[in-house]
Amino acid sequence: MQQLIRNGVVIDDTFAEAFGMRATAIIITAPTLKWARQAAITMTGFATSVIGCGCEAGIDMDLSETETPDGRPGCRVMLFAMGTDELQKQLKTRLGQCVLTSPGSACFAGLEGSAPLDLGSALRYFGDGWQISKKFGGRHYWRVPVMDGEFLCEATTGLTKQAVGGGNMLLLAADWARALKAAETAVAAIEKVPGVIMPFPGGIVRSGSKVGGKYKGMMASTNDAFAPTLKGAVKTALEPGTNAVLEIVIDGETSDAVSDAMRAGLKAVVKLGPKQGALRISAGNYGGKLGKFHYHLRELLP
């Protein structure tokens, strides 16, 4: 494999392979940003991968009082799934269990998409007949009575079929501390890019995987080629001085958003340099045979 060097960091001439997905977004507001974020964090829990969680979800951005429909602080949350039915199921369940229940919360559409997904239209029955339908400014809302007042929820939000899941970069470092520093630096840069989420804990993955495994029924198993403790036992992709690898996985509202996010992450890690962060940057793919979206690292470098 050919390699490039920027600021002492080696970059593999390879690509990240990603997949088309369905996505939606909502805006959660509350009396304070603390409680808006609490609802958003709870809603996006256990949503790292469609393989085991049904969807992938995360906070896209925090919103000020001037950026939300009801003039309160809030968050834009994004959810991704492989199909529309699963996305609607995950949205309804997470909204009902995590946002409806959160003190002072309200919920609004966060995406103008190609088709509607139910929000308040699905949760209104919790009002047990006391819910009120309101139309204002060309939009439809439901007011559902709850113990701290009422839950205001827009009737629907939008669905996009142009979303992409699985943009990624692998950060290879001399030790765990420097791998984490590189990953945190990439995450901080990517968080500034609108329309993308990093669904894993803190945006970072330690347990990168390959397709399948030696045990029956395993859809994915450890990426042994990038596991430092297996360097002497498998065909390794690691140099002798590499002792830790962390991965960033990116889902985006559009393919361009994923490109922008990867570009921002690469720039930040390259600027950090190998003494403090990554010795080398690579990416995960399946030889271009599974996902139609390919993000070549060399084309995204600063």
Side-chain angles (χ1 to χ4, degrees), residues 118-218:
D118 288 340
L119 292 176
S121 293
L123 294 186
R124 61 193 173 102
Y125 300 106
F126 183 77
D128 200 28
W130 299 103
Q131 66 272 19
I132 299 173
S133 172
K134 289 290 184 181
K135 292 185 178 180
F136 181 77
R139 306 184 81 94
H140 185 196
Y141 304 92
W142 284 97
R143 297 168 58 188
V144 180
V146 288
M147 293 194 300
D148 71 347
E150 66 178 18
F151 175 59
L152 176 64
C153 188
E154 195 158 354
T156 62
T157 188
L159 161 76
T160 178
K161 299 179 181 179
Q162 306 301 315
V164 176
N168 69 83
M169 60 183 73
L170 295 163
L171 307 176
L172 293 68
D175 53 43
W176 184 86
R178 278 178 275 202
L180 185 62
K181 178 67 173 177
E184 289 179 331
T185 299
V187 167
I190 294 169
E191 284 180 335
K192 298 175 183 178
V193 178
V196 297
I197 63 165
M198 294 165 283
F200 285 89
I204 303 169
V205 189
R206 72 187 295 210
S207 56
S209 61
K210 64 179 183 296
V211 176
K214 66 185 291 185
Y215 297 107
K216 184 178 179 180
M218 289 294 294

XYZ file of all heavy atoms in Angstrom, residues 118-218:
751
model
N -43.678 9.948 12.118
C -44.526 10.392 13.225
C -43.719 10.760 14.464
O -42.809 10.027 14.876
C -45.519 9.290 13.605
C -46.612 9.115 12.567
O -46.836 10.050 11.779
O -47.233 8.028 12.539
N -44.086 11.895 15.068
C -43.580 12.292 16.392
C -44.789 12.357 17.327
O -45.231 11.363 17.873
C -42.868 13.647 16.312
C -41.556 13.722 15.548
C -41.044 15.153 15.498
C -40.512 12.819 16.178
N -45.341 13.558 17.474
C -46.517 13.716 18.321
C -47.710 12.905 17.851
O -48.540 12.476 18.663
N -47.787 12.672 16.556
C -48.896 11.864 16.031
C -48.866 10.447 16.582
O -49.907 9.786 16.666
C -48.832 11.829 14.499
O -49.091 13.111 13.962
N -47.686 9.981 16.956
C -47.558 8.645 17.537
C -47.720 8.655 19.051
O -48.243 7.702 19.638
C -46.198 8.048 17.172
N -47.288 9.766 19.693
C -47.290 9.813 21.159
C -48.557 10.423 21.756
O -48.773 10.374 22.967
C -46.079 10.607 21.656
C -44.692 10.008 21.388
C -43.638 10.853 22.080
C -44.604 8.567 21.847
N -49.403 10.992 20.927
C -50.574 11.724 21.448
C -51.491 10.840 22.283
O -52.166 11.329 23.200
C -51.366 12.335 20.306
C -51.923 11.344 19.299
C -52.412 12.071 18.047
N -52.798 11.176 16.971
C -54.063 10.876 16.669
N -55.052 11.372 17.395
N -54.323 10.084 15.650
N -51.515 9.555 22.006
C -52.431 8.669 22.731
C -52.078 8.540 24.207
O -52.901 8.124 25.015
C -52.443 7.288 22.072
C -52.891 7.344 20.625
C -51.977 7.195 19.593
C -54.228 7.591 20.302
C -52.380 7.264 18.265
C -54.642 7.670 18.979
C -53.707 7.501 17.967
O -54.117 7.581 16.658
N -50.851 8.915 24.566
C -50.485 8.921 25.980
C -51.375 9.892 26.756
O -51.583 9.738 27.964
C -49.008 9.300 26.149
C -48.532 9.259 27.576
C -48.251 8.060 28.200
C -48.378 10.443 28.297
C -47.817 8.029 29.525
C -47.943 10.417 29.614
C -47.663 9.195 30.228
N -51.900 10.889 26.050
C -52.778 11.866 26.701
C -54.131 11.315 27.096
O -54.906 12.005 27.770
N -54.450 10.096 26.689
C -55.671 9.394 27.127
C -56.945 10.185 26.851
O -57.884 10.183 27.651
C -55.563 9.063 28.624
C -56.520 7.938 29.032
O -56.837 7.086 28.175
O -56.951 7.918 30.200
N -56.936 10.863 25.719
C -58.123 11.632 25.332
C -58.065 13.099 25.706
O -58.891 13.892 25.240
N -57.108 13.488 26.537
C -56.976 14.883 26.958
C -56.000 15.664 26.071
O -55.834 16.875 26.244
C -56.496 14.950 28.412
C -57.448 14.310 29.375
C -57.317 13.090 29.971
C -58.682 14.849 29.833
N -58.389 12.827 30.778
C -59.255 13.900 30.722
C -59.381 16.038 29.596
C -60.475 14.095 31.353
C -60.598 16.244 30.229
C -61.128 15.273 31.097
N -55.354 14.996 25.141
C -54.410 15.667 24.244
C -55.142 16.656 23.341
O -56.314 16.478 23.032
C -53.635 14.642 23.403
C -54.464 13.863 22.408
C -55.071 12.594 22.998
O -55.180 12.455 24.209
N -55.464 11.672 22.134
N -54.434 17.717 22.936
C -55.035 18.775 22.109
C -54.209 18.951 20.835
O -52.979 19.070 20.889
C -55.091 20.113 22.879
C -55.942 19.973 24.144
C -55.635 21.221 21.992
C -55.894 21.199 25.037
N -54.875 18.989 19.712
C -54.239 19.231 18.421
C -54.232 20.727 18.140
O -55.252 21.399 18.281
C -54.998 18.479 17.322
O -54.508 18.841 16.047
N -53.073 21.265 17.732
C -52.962 22.676 17.411
C -52.212 22.848 16.090
O -51.203 22.192 15.855
C -52.193 23.428 18.507
C -52.954 23.579 19.809
C -54.121 24.549 19.664
C -54.831 24.767 20.989
N -55.979 25.689 20.837
N -52.710 23.733 15.230
C -52.015 24.084 14.003
C -51.678 25.563 14.045
O -52.539 26.403 14.326
C -52.875 23.756 12.784
C -53.066 22.264 12.584
C -53.809 21.931 11.306
C -53.927 20.415 11.130
N -54.645 20.060 9.878
N -50.392 25.844 13.809
C -49.913 27.219 13.929
C -48.791 27.428 12.918
O -47.857 26.642 12.847
C -49.399 27.479 15.349
C -48.900 28.872 15.571
C -49.783 29.927 15.758
C -47.539 29.140 15.582
C -49.326 31.227 15.953
C -47.069 30.429 15.783
C -47.966 31.473 15.964
N -48.913 28.507 12.129
C -47.872 28.815 11.164
C -47.656 27.729 10.128
O -46.521 27.526 9.657
N -48.711 27.007 9.797
C -48.585 25.951 8.806
C -47.997 24.664 9.336
O -47.701 23.746 8.552
N -47.841 24.560 10.649
C -47.275 23.350 11.260
C -48.284 22.775 12.257
O -49.113 23.499 12.806
C -45.934 23.644 11.936
C -44.937 24.308 10.988
C -43.582 24.499 11.621
N -42.788 23.286 11.587
C -41.914 22.987 10.630
N -41.752 23.797 9.599
N -41.205 21.876 10.686
N -48.168 21.475 12.504
C -49.125 20.778 13.352
C -48.429 20.301 14.628
O -47.360 19.673 14.575
C -49.695 19.577 12.586
C -50.772 18.854 13.321
N -51.197 17.587 12.973
C -51.529 19.202 14.408
C -52.153 17.196 13.789
N -52.367 18.162 14.675
N -49.036 20.576 15.769
C -48.463 20.209 17.065
C -49.488 19.445 17.900
O -50.701 19.576 17.713
C -48.031 21.461 17.844
C -47.061 22.338 17.104
C -47.513 23.396 16.309
C -45.693 22.125 17.188
C -46.630 24.203 15.621
C -44.794 22.938 16.506
C -45.265 23.970 15.719
O -44.396 24.764 15.033
N -48.983 18.692 18.851
C -49.826 18.038 19.853
C -49.389 18.493 21.235
O -48.187 18.549 21.532
C -49.725 16.512 19.738
C -50.500 15.975 18.580
C -50.029 15.664 17.335
C -51.911 15.704 18.553
N -51.034 15.227 16.529
C -52.209 15.238 17.240
C -52.942 15.814 19.479
C -53.491 14.876 16.867
C -54.218 15.458 19.105
C -54.488 14.987 17.800
N -50.363 18.815 22.067
C -50.126 19.173 23.467
C -50.664 18.040 24.337
O -51.860 17.763 24.350
C -50.820 20.497 23.792
C -50.278 21.677 23.000
C -51.166 22.904 23.128
N -51.342 23.320 24.509
C -52.194 24.282 24.888
N -52.940 24.901 23.975
N -52.289 24.600 26.160
N -49.752 17.394 25.022
C -50.101 16.219 25.820
C -49.937 16.564 27.303
O -48.847 16.937 27.741
C -49.191 15.023 25.463
C -49.562 13.793 26.291
C -49.295 14.712 23.963
N -50.996 16.455 28.111
C -50.876 16.777 29.538
C -49.992 15.772 30.276
O -50.113 14.559 30.095
C -52.314 16.710 30.045
C -53.021 15.821 29.085
C -52.357 16.031 27.755
N -49.075 16.303 31.079
C -48.190 15.471 31.911
C -48.100 16.119 33.283
O -48.648 17.201 33.513
C -46.789 15.336 31.275
C -46.832 14.434 30.051
C -46.204 16.701 30.903
N -47.425 15.476 34.210
C -47.474 15.918 35.607
C -46.787 17.248 35.869
O -47.103 17.918 36.852
C -46.894 14.824 36.510
C -47.749 13.571 36.560
S -47.302 12.447 37.911
C -45.606 12.065 37.522
N -45.846 17.683 34.993
C -45.210 18.984 35.237
C -45.785 20.074 34.324
O -45.245 21.166 34.244
C -43.675 18.906 35.091
C -43.213 18.737 33.647
O -44.051 18.435 32.774
O -42.001 18.897 33.391
N -46.893 19.762 33.644
C -47.525 20.740 32.769
C -48.030 20.081 31.505
O -49.016 19.347 31.527
N -47.340 20.302 30.388
C -47.699 19.614 29.158
C -46.466 19.372 28.298
O -45.459 20.109 28.394
C -48.738 20.397 28.361
C -48.267 21.714 27.807
C -49.343 22.412 26.983
O -50.531 22.058 27.113
O -48.975 23.308 26.200
N -46.545 18.345 27.509
C -45.495 18.003 26.557
C -45.940 18.491 25.186
O -46.923 18.009 24.632
C -45.264 16.485 26.544
C -44.271 16.022 25.509
C -42.959 16.483 25.517
C -44.639 15.093 24.533
C -42.035 16.045 24.568
C -43.733 14.648 23.590
C -42.423 15.125 23.608
N -45.225 19.474 24.649
C -45.509 19.999 23.327
C -44.637 19.265 22.317
O -43.407 19.226 22.454
C -45.216 21.497 23.269
C -45.391 22.170 21.896
C -46.848 22.100 21.442
C -44.897 23.611 21.948
N -45.273 18.693 21.296
C -44.530 17.885 20.329
C -45.089 18.103 18.932
O -46.300 17.973 18.715
C -44.601 16.406 20.704
S -43.546 15.327 19.718
N -44.230 18.442 17.997
C -44.668 18.565 16.612
C -45.164 17.208 16.110
O -44.659 16.157 16.525
C -43.534 19.091 15.740
C -43.994 19.582 14.388
C -43.039 20.561 13.733
O -42.034 20.970 14.372
O -43.301 20.936 12.580
N -46.149 17.232 15.219
C -46.796 15.992 14.790
C -45.855 15.062 14.041
O -45.872 13.838 14.248
C -48.002 16.308 13.916
N -45.015 15.630 13.167
C -44.112 14.801 12.351
C -42.767 15.490 12.184
O -42.618 16.692 12.435
C -44.699 14.540 10.951
O -44.852 15.789 10.257
C -46.041 13.821 11.035
N -41.797 14.715 11.750
C -40.515 15.253 11.293
C -40.215 14.634 9.937
O -41.000 13.845 9.418
C -39.389 14.984 12.312
O -38.210 15.691 11.910
C -39.075 13.497 12.426
N -39.080 14.996 9.348
C -38.776 14.537 8.005
C -37.848 13.343 7.960
O -37.073 13.074 8.883
N -37.915 12.611 6.866
C -37.049 11.468 6.579
C -36.190 11.796 5.366
O -36.679 12.361 4.385
C -37.896 10.238 6.269
C -37.216 9.078 5.513
C -36.309 8.299 6.452
C -38.251 8.157 4.882
N -34.905 11.452 5.418
C -34.055 11.553 4.242
C -33.519 10.175 3.869
O -33.170 9.386 4.746
C -32.874 12.525 4.443
O -32.068 12.522 3.248
C -32.004 12.130 5.620
N -33.475 9.922 2.576
C -32.901 8.678 2.058
C -31.511 8.917 1.482
O -30.939 8.033 0.853
C -33.818 8.089 0.985
C -35.213 7.731 1.498
C -36.089 7.166 0.392
C -37.486 6.846 0.911
N -38.366 6.301 -0.168
N -30.975 10.105 1.720
C -29.660 10.480 1.194
C -28.556 10.369 2.246
O -27.429 10.769 1.994
C -29.706 11.920 0.670
C -30.801 12.184 -0.348
C -30.685 11.290 -1.566
O -29.602 11.108 -2.107
N -31.802 10.719 -1.986
N -28.877 9.811 3.416
C -27.897 9.736 4.496
C -26.852 8.655 4.231
O -27.074 7.722 3.456
C -28.609 9.465 5.815
N -25.717 8.799 4.895
C -24.601 7.860 4.747
C -24.094 7.472 6.128
O -23.931 8.326 7.004
C -23.446 8.491 3.932
C -22.258 7.537 3.864
C -23.918 8.851 2.533
N -23.849 6.180 6.310
C -23.296 5.700 7.579
C -22.019 4.920 7.361
O -21.925 4.127 6.425
N -21.036 5.158 8.218
C -19.831 4.337 8.177
C -18.576 5.006 7.688
O -17.551 4.336 7.489
N -18.606 6.348 7.493
C -17.336 7.020 7.261
C -16.433 6.756 8.453
O -16.912 6.673 9.587
N -15.141 6.597 8.226
C -14.282 6.215 9.349
C -12.827 6.565 9.129
O -12.392 6.794 8.001
C -14.411 4.710 9.623
C -13.814 3.861 8.516
O -12.602 3.613 8.481
N -14.655 3.418 7.580
N -12.094 6.583 10.225
C -10.636 6.679 10.171
C -10.049 5.916 11.347
O -10.622 5.880 12.443
C -10.172 8.134 10.170
C -10.574 8.947 11.382
S -10.057 10.675 11.244
C -11.203 11.268 10.016
N -8.930 5.264 11.093
C -8.208 4.495 12.099
C -6.965 5.271 12.500
O -6.171 5.677 11.630
C -7.815 3.120 11.550
C -8.970 2.177 11.213
C -8.494 1.056 10.307
C -9.575 1.607 12.486
N -6.793 5.483 13.791
C -5.679 6.259 14.314
C -4.722 5.335 15.047
O -5.066 4.746 16.075
C -6.213 7.357 15.240
C -7.296 8.255 14.615
C -7.827 9.241 15.635
C -6.778 8.971 13.385
N -3.516 5.188 14.505
C -2.520 4.253 15.026
C -1.443 5.034 15.762
O -0.860 5.976 15.196
C -1.896 3.442 13.891
C -2.777 2.437 13.138
C -3.866 3.118 12.311
C -1.925 1.562 12.229
N -1.161 4.645 17.001
C -0.242 5.419 17.833
C 0.726 4.515 18.591
O 0.545 3.300 18.675
C -1.021 6.290 18.813
N 1.730 5.151 19.182
C 2.763 4.405 19.916
C 2.230 3.835 21.218
O 2.704 2.801 21.684
C 3.960 5.315 20.196
N 1.244 4.497 21.808
C 0.678 4.005 23.059
C -0.774 4.476 23.186
O -1.258 5.273 22.366
C 1.504 4.459 24.273
C 1.726 5.961 24.324
O 0.776 6.730 24.074
O 2.870 6.385 24.603
N -1.440 3.966 24.218
C -2.862 4.248 24.403
C -3.127 5.734 24.605
O -4.081 6.280 24.052
C -3.386 3.453 25.605
C -4.859 3.599 25.830
C -5.860 2.869 25.259
C -5.506 4.550 26.685
N -7.084 3.298 25.703
C -6.904 4.334 26.578
C -5.049 5.561 27.526
C -7.832 5.080 27.289
C -5.978 6.326 28.229
C -7.354 6.074 28.105
N -2.301 6.403 25.396
C -2.523 7.817 25.708
C -2.478 8.674 24.453
O -3.302 9.576 24.261
C -1.490 8.305 26.724
N -1.520 8.381 23.575
C -1.417 9.176 22.354
C -2.523 8.824 21.343
O -2.994 9.691 20.600
C -0.024 9.023 21.740
C 0.992 9.950 22.407
C 2.387 9.788 21.868
N 3.079 8.696 22.559
C 4.406 8.583 22.612
N 5.173 9.480 21.995
N 4.965 7.585 23.249
N -2.945 7.569 21.336
C -4.076 7.201 20.480
C -5.333 7.948 20.914
O -6.094 8.464 20.085
C -4.307 5.693 20.528
N -5.557 8.007 22.230
C -6.728 8.711 22.750
C -6.639 10.209 22.482
O -7.635 10.848 22.135
C -6.883 8.448 24.247
C -8.143 9.047 24.888
C -9.401 8.450 24.270
C -8.137 8.829 26.403
N -5.453 10.773 22.639
C -5.272 12.201 22.362
C -5.607 12.510 20.909
O -6.318 13.486 20.604
C -3.826 12.616 22.662
C -3.505 14.068 22.356
C -4.235 15.035 23.261
C -3.759 16.454 23.053
N -4.512 17.427 23.893
N -5.150 11.660 19.993
C -5.444 11.859 18.574
C -6.942 11.739 18.314
O -7.531 12.541 17.574
C -4.665 10.854 17.731
N -7.565 10.734 18.919
C -8.990 10.505 18.707
C -9.813 11.660 19.269
O -10.766 12.135 18.632
C -9.413 9.189 19.333
N -9.479 12.118 20.466
C -10.207 13.236 21.067
C -10.043 14.507 20.238
O -10.983 15.305 20.107
C -9.728 13.470 22.497
C -10.157 12.388 23.475
C -9.647 12.613 24.886
O -8.565 13.237 25.033
O -10.315 12.186 25.832
N -8.875 14.687 19.675
C -8.624 15.846 18.825
C -9.474 15.788 17.562
O -10.049 16.796 17.128
C -7.128 15.917 18.453
O -6.349 16.048 19.662
C -6.838 17.101 17.553
N -9.574 14.595 16.978
C -10.414 14.416 15.792
C -11.877 14.653 16.118
O -12.595 15.329 15.369
C -10.211 13.017 15.217
N -12.340 14.107 17.229
C -13.734 14.272 17.633
C -14.075 15.748 17.823
O -15.123 16.220 17.366
C -14.025 13.477 18.923
C -15.365 13.885 19.531
C -14.017 11.983 18.639
N -13.202 16.482 18.488
C -13.456 17.903 18.741
C -13.596 18.680 17.427
O -14.428 19.587 17.318
C -12.335 18.490 19.583
N -12.806 18.307 16.430
C -12.883 18.981 15.134
C -14.157 18.590 14.379
O -14.831 19.431 13.780
C -11.649 18.644 14.301
N -14.507 17.320 14.429
C -15.676 16.826 13.705
C -16.968 17.349 14.315
O -17.957 17.595 13.612
C -15.657 15.283 13.665
C -14.477 14.810 12.830
C -16.963 14.726 13.104
C -14.199 13.319 12.934
N -16.979 17.551 15.627
C -18.180 18.073 16.298
C -18.595 19.444 15.772
O -19.753 19.843 15.914
C -17.940 18.145 17.805
C -18.002 16.793 18.501
C -17.756 16.882 19.992
O -17.080 17.849 20.434
O -18.221 15.991 20.723
N -17.687 20.160 15.152
C -17.992 21.485 14.614
C -18.640 21.416 13.232
O -19.089 22.436 12.704
C -16.715 22.325 14.549
C -16.070 22.575 15.907
C -14.752 23.318 15.764
C -14.072 23.507 17.118
N -12.753 24.185 16.980
N -18.671 20.219 12.652
C -19.245 20.045 11.313
C -20.739 19.734 11.449
O -21.108 18.751 12.101
C -18.534 18.901 10.564
C -19.168 18.696 9.189
C -17.044 19.200 10.428
N -21.614 20.529 10.855
C -23.053 20.270 10.987
C -23.502 19.069 10.169
O -22.912 18.726 9.142
C -23.690 21.560 10.457
C -22.667 22.111 9.501
C -21.328 21.752 10.090
N -24.553 18.409 10.669
C -25.154 17.326 9.909
C -24.474 15.989 10.031
O -24.713 15.084 9.221
N -23.620 15.822 11.053
C -22.960 14.532 11.258
C -22.999 14.159 12.739
O -23.084 15.022 13.612
C -21.485 14.525 10.789
C -21.395 14.776 9.302
C -20.645 15.524 11.572
N -22.939 12.868 12.999
C -22.795 12.366 14.363
C -21.705 11.305 14.383
O -21.352 10.724 13.349
C -24.100 11.757 14.919
C -24.531 10.533 14.094
C -25.198 12.801 14.988
C -25.572 9.662 14.759
N -21.169 11.060 15.565
C -20.235 9.965 15.810
C -20.880 9.110 16.901
O -20.841 9.470 18.070
C -18.880 10.525 16.246
C -18.172 11.320 15.160
S -16.807 12.331 15.785
C -17.728 13.702 16.533
N -21.525 8.003 16.541
C -22.438 7.326 17.459
C -21.799 6.532 18.599
O -22.497 6.173 19.542
C -23.219 6.388 16.533
C -22.289 6.112 15.401
C -21.531 7.393 15.197
N -20.509 6.267 18.530
C -19.884 5.464 19.586
C -19.529 6.318 20.808
O -19.597 7.542 20.751
C -18.659 4.743 19.029
C -19.021 3.566 18.156
C -19.217 3.713 16.797
C -19.207 2.305 18.720
C -19.575 2.636 15.993
C -19.567 1.222 17.924
C -19.754 1.393 16.562
N -19.171 5.687 21.929
C -18.933 6.436 23.173
C -17.904 7.556 23.008
O -16.750 7.303 22.663
C -18.416 5.357 24.139
C -19.030 4.084 23.640
C -19.042 4.227 22.145
N -18.349 8.790 23.229
C -17.445 9.921 23.056
C -16.964 10.075 21.633
O -16.010 10.804 21.365
N -17.624 9.393 20.691
C -17.236 9.442 19.293
C -16.133 8.481 18.901
O -15.677 8.491 17.761
N -15.712 7.614 19.847
C -14.516 6.796 19.643
C -14.829 5.309 19.796
O -15.592 4.912 20.674
C -13.419 7.199 20.647
C -13.089 8.701 20.504
C -12.155 6.371 20.448
C -12.218 9.255 21.618
N -14.194 4.494 18.928
C -14.372 3.039 18.961
C -13.039 2.358 19.282
O -12.058 2.578 18.585
C -14.852 2.494 17.599
C -15.251 1.031 17.717
C -15.980 3.328 17.038
N -13.018 1.508 20.292
C -11.819 0.707 20.562
C -11.923 -0.678 19.927
O -10.907 -1.285 19.604
C -11.602 0.550 22.060
C -12.630 -0.382 22.699
C -12.592 -0.452 24.202
N -11.384 -1.012 24.734
C -11.333 -1.688 25.889
N -12.452 -1.889 26.584
N -10.213 -2.150 26.345
N -13.167 -1.161 19.752
C -13.381 -2.539 19.304
C -13.765 -2.582 17.831
O -14.831 -3.057 17.462
C -14.464 -3.213 20.144
O -15.671 -2.453 20.097
N -12.883 -2.058 16.979
C -13.112 -2.139 15.550
C -13.315 -3.588 15.142
O -12.745 -4.499 15.740
N -14.125 -3.792 14.102
C -14.499 -5.167 13.769
C -14.280 -5.488 12.299
O -14.155 -4.599 11.452
C -15.967 -5.415 14.130
O -16.804 -4.539 13.391
N -14.257 -6.783 12.008
C -14.275 -7.282 10.631
C -15.574 -8.054 10.451
O -16.235 -8.423 11.422
C -13.077 -8.195 10.378
C -13.046 -9.476 11.213
C -11.844 -10.333 10.883
C -11.848 -11.657 11.651
N -11.746 -11.491 13.095
N -15.952 -8.298 9.220
C -17.181 -9.027 8.938
C -17.016 -10.498 9.291
O -16.012 -11.129 8.957
C -17.574 -8.895 7.453
C -18.797 -9.740 7.146
C -17.846 -7.441 7.117
N -18.013 -11.051 10.007
C -18.006 -12.477 10.338
C -17.004 -12.832 11.422
O -16.465 -11.977 12.125
N -16.757 -14.136 11.572
C -15.840 -14.634 12.588
C -15.819 -16.143 12.569
O -16.513 -16.795 11.773
N -15.033 -16.730 13.472
C -14.886 -18.189 13.489
C -16.071 -18.895 14.142
O -16.260 -20.100 13.968
C -13.591 -18.582 14.194
C -13.544 -18.245 15.672
C -12.174 -18.562 16.286
C -11.931 -20.057 16.344
N -10.662 -20.370 17.036
N -16.861 -18.159 14.918
C -17.994 -18.763 15.609
C -19.284 -18.553 14.831
O -19.539 -17.476 14.297
C -18.130 -18.185 17.013
C -16.934 -18.482 17.895
C -16.027 -17.465 18.225
C -16.699 -19.766 18.380
C -14.921 -17.729 19.024
C -15.595 -20.038 19.168
C -14.703 -19.019 19.484
O -13.617 -19.292 20.250
N -20.109 -19.563 14.784
C -21.356 -19.537 14.044
C -22.271 -18.422 14.550
O -22.448 -18.247 15.749
C -22.070 -20.890 14.173
C -23.345 -21.004 13.354
C -23.968 -22.381 13.507
C -25.253 -22.499 12.704
N -25.871 -23.844 12.848
N -22.854 -17.689 13.618
C -23.803 -16.651 13.970
C -23.201 -15.288 14.250
O -23.935 -14.328 14.473
N -21.877 -15.189 14.251
C -21.243 -13.894 14.517
C -21.257 -13.026 13.256
O -20.671 -13.387 12.240
C -19.802 -14.093 14.983
C -19.686 -14.685 16.373
S -20.313 -13.577 17.654
C -19.145 -12.234 17.559
